Amino acid sequence: MTDHDIRVLDDSQYRAAHTLFRGTLHYPPAADDGWKLAQDSYEPGRAFGAFADDELIGTVQAFSSQMAVPGGAVVPHAAVSRVGVRVDWTRRGVLSALQRAQLRSFVESGDVVATLRASESLIYGRFGYGVATRYRTVRIDRSRAKPRTRITGRVRLVDLEPGEQLVRSLYEQVAPRRVGTIGRWPAWWSMGLHQPSRDERPKIAVRSSDGEDDGYLIYKVKPGVHDASESKPTTLDVIDLWARTPEAWADLWLFALGVDLVAEVTAEGRPVDEPLEWLLGDRRACKTTAEEDETWLRLVDVPAALSARTYRDRAGTAPVLIGVRDTYLPDNTGTYRVSADGVSRVTDAPELVLDVDTLASAYLGDVSFSTLAATRRLDVVEPDAPARADALFAVPEIPWCGTFF
């Protein structure tokens, strides 16, 4: 018998859950104006609490969303956030119980996948989450950048209130074209754009060509000291940048690099394959300061997830039989025949066997089955099975999400 129980939270308990979560990150409770923004992000039935003697000791929640998968399909997605267990209750099964309840709720609500951003990398693999996308952080020395081209369209600043609706519309048009992107819920935008302090609010620039908007940039400028020493340089931080075309993408970056009285341009969470260096006269002006895991993906419904995406049709590539193990959602356990024509569940013996978190890492195409085999993350039964799986799961573009939550 456990000494705690798991319950769905109601709106009278959301603030306590929010305070508990912030406490696990060593932050104080949100002030009233900050809580007003956060309150609207809680969805009925999507937040859980762990209780001991009616005292809240842990919490987890999710936002309703969608995810783009290889081939152009978009599947129901749960964005998991605000996971925390009170420090005096850690390592007593509370998080495991919360995860079990949440995963069962995803099955019941029809979510095909779930994702999260992990504060610690050793926690979530045991619950079936695997690293499926990566991002990089860049810093550009503006004095050395010397862009090789100029803006060809029109980039204009827009006010925050009308700009919010504009960028939301552009994001919804552009983002699903890239594998790994997710739908952003209304509270994501309000919390990101409408901070309590006006000094923290970002600026919005929109690019257009022939009278049609085709991309946007959200950024903040952090003032420094404007003197020769540059001991505290003024920095322009690119927060969010999406474009419908390569031309729009280039113009928006050129706009960011062209803002006067700025020493550095920085951006966190950008695609690892974004060709920023090729815009610059001195490519060494752009430094990758970090490359990190981004999306931790959980396949909630393995048959539906495998069937939703497409597979590369390469001449001579035979199907592969993949055996999946899933401790937390055992209905997913089984063997799946994957071919260019689709996916079916079979009773045949598998040709390679892996845990559901490892399959999640390979699902969007960021890591190959051969790499996972070489690092002993899966069991190879037939020696050529990883190569066949590589060919079938290959994608033309590195997956990327671009949304932090």
Side-chain angles (χ1 to χ4, degrees), residues 290-309:
E291 183 179 312
E292 302 179 46
D293 54 78
E294 183 191 34
T295 298
W296 285 72
L297 174 64
R298 214 308 175 177
L299 304 182
V300 176
D301 186 333
V302 169
L306 289 175
S307 297
R309 60 154 294 170

Side-chain angles (χ1 to χ4, degrees), residues 56-92:
L56 186 67
I57 59 171
T59 187
V60 63
Q61 76 161 101
F63 309 108
S64 297
S65 176
Q66 310 83 35
M67 170 176 277
V69 302
V74 175
V75 299
H77 159 243
V80 177
S81 187
R82 296 171 180 158
V83 183
V85 175
R86 211 173 67 184
V87 65
D88 56 334
W89 277 87
T90 58
R91 298 168 187 84
R92 293 172 63 175

Side-chain angles (χ1 to χ4, degrees), residues 135-387:
Y135 70 79
R136 71 169 176 159
T137 300
V138 298
R139 184 180 68 249
I140 302 171
D141 183 340
R142 184 172 169 270
S143 67
R144 294 176 54 193
K146 310 299 183 194
R148 304 179 67 92
T149 184
R150 296 182 178 183
I151 293 174
T152 60
R154 169 80 172 102
V155 181
R156 69 189 191 279
L157 291 177
V158 298
D159 291 336
L160 187 61
E161 281 67 26
E164 178 181 351
Q165 294 303 317
L166 181 55
V167 298
R168 287 176 64 170
S169 176
L170 282 168
Y171 176 84
E172 290 168 2
Q173 297 170 39
V174 173
R177 301 181 184 187
R178 182 150 188 164
V179 171
T181 55
I182 63 173
R184 293 173 174 175
W185 45 100
W188 187 95
W189 293 101
S190 61
M191 293 183 68
L193 295 179
H194 300 282
Q195 296 294 334
S197 170
R198 297 196 64 85
D199 292 339
E200 298 177 4
R201 293 188 180 184
K203 300 180 185 300
I204 298 175
V206 175
R207 195 266 190 185
S208 58
S209 179
D210 297 326
E212 182 179 0
D213 296 328
D214 53 11
Y216 72 86
L217 162 67
I218 301 177
Y219 69 96
K220 292 181 181 180
V221 176
K222 302 174 184 176
V225 177
H226 300 297
D227 61 26
S229 69
E230 293 290 353
S231 59
K232 184 184 177 186
T234 295
T235 300
L236 186 151
D237 186 16
V238 172
I239 299 172
D240 203 32
L241 188 155
W242 294 86
R244 185 180 294 121
T245 66
E247 292 79 9
W249 169 84
D251 275 359
L252 290 165
W253 270 109
L254 291 169
F255 176 85
L257 292 167
V259 176
D260 289 334
L261 300 179
V262 166
E264 294 180 346
V265 175
T266 61
E268 184 179 3
R270 300 305 301 171
V272 295
D273 60 348
E274 188 171 35
L276 275 173
E277 293 83 351
W278 292 99
L279 274 178
L280 311 180
D282 183 355
R283 59 184 293 115
R284 293 182 182 179
C286 179
K287 300 292 186 183
T288 297
T289 58
E291 183 179 312
E292 302 179 46
D293 54 78
E294 183 191 34
T295 298
W296 285 72
L297 174 64
R298 214 308 175 177
L299 304 182
V300 176
D301 186 333
V302 169
L306 289 175
S307 297
R309 60 154 294 170
T310 60
Y311 301 91
R312 296 290 292 273
D313 187 4
R314 294 181 177 176
T317 300
V320 64
L321 298 172
I322 300 176
V324 180
R325 298 180 293 240
D326 191 340
T327 302
Y328 274 71
L329 294 176
D331 285 349
N332 288 324
T333 298
T335 302
Y336 299 86
R337 181 184 185 274
V338 180
S339 73
D341 297 325
V343 177
S344 59
R345 197 163 187 166
V346 297
T347 58
D348 305 57
E351 297 174 309
L352 56 84
V353 182
L354 40 63
D355 292 320
V356 71
D357 63 311
T358 306
L359 178 60
S361 292
Y363 175 76
L364 296 178
D366 190 46
V367 64
S368 70
F369 286 84
S370 293
T371 295
L372 295 169
T375 52
R376 300 178 182 176
R377 294 296 303 272
L378 55 80
D379 301 324
V380 179
V381 180
E382 294 294 334
D384 68 337

Side-chain angles (χ1 to χ4, degrees), residues 7-74:
R7 308 173 196 168
V8 176
L9 300 179
D10 60 42
D11 55 5
S12 69
Q13 299 166 313
Y14 292 161
R15 189 162 191 177
H18 192 259
T19 296
L20 186 150
F21 165 68
R22 288 179 60 87
T24 64
L25 297 179
H26 309 297
Y27 290 124
D32 288 346
D33 50 2
W35 166 243
K36 186 176 180 180
L37 286 174
Q39 184 176 17
D40 291 339
S41 67
Y42 281 83
E43 299 178 36
R46 289 293 228 179
F48 290 82
F51 290 84
D53 296 326
D54 286 330
E55 185 178 16
L56 186 67
I57 59 171
T59 187
V60 63
Q61 76 161 101
F63 309 108
S64 297
S65 176
Q66 310 83 35
M67 170 176 277
V69 302
V74 175

